[in-house]
Amino acid sequence: MNKVIVDSAMHAKLNGTDAELEFVDPAGKTLGFFVPTVERERLKQVQAENDRLLIAWGWSQLSSEDIERSQKDTKLYTTEEVIKHLESL
């Protein structure tokens, strides 16, 4: 990640900010966004929790029979074989 060193005037404007900010040029064109460290950490935690919930949901969609069958079926298929099969459907 590239870094930009902010001068004291910009630092004073950003200091204590706990919300995302949009940087724009004088014409109002968006240049980029600033996410404070506190907010970035909070977003990481939210993403981790979302990932955990998505994985738990995925596992909940499988029956014990599905899991047993997948563990017994050890045959592997190439991408070409899978595409050929899907095209035949």
Side-chain angles (χ1 to χ4, degrees), residues 35-76:
V35 179
T37 304
V38 171
E39 179 64 4
R40 186 171 185 220
E41 290 304 315
R42 187 191 72 76
L43 292 172
K44 281 184 184 178
Q45 291 173 355
V46 168
Q47 183 63 54
E49 179 64 7
N50 285 345
D51 291 348
R52 186 190 70 74
L53 291 171
L54 183 59
I55 291 168
W57 174 83
W59 279 110
S60 75
Q61 300 304 300
L62 298 172
S63 68
S64 56
E65 293 83 18
D66 291 332
I67 295 170
E68 286 178 30
R69 186 174 61 250
S70 71
Q71 290 172 341
K72 290 179 184 175
D73 185 10
T74 57
K75 180 161 175 33
L76 300 175

Side-chain angles (χ1 to χ4, degrees), residues 73 75-89:
D73 185 10
K75 180 161 175 33
L76 300 175
Y77 299 92
T78 66
T79 302
E80 184 179 315
E81 290 171 324
V82 171
I83 291 171
K84 186 175 182 177
H85 171 72
L86 291 173
E87 290 174 341
S88 74
L89 298 177

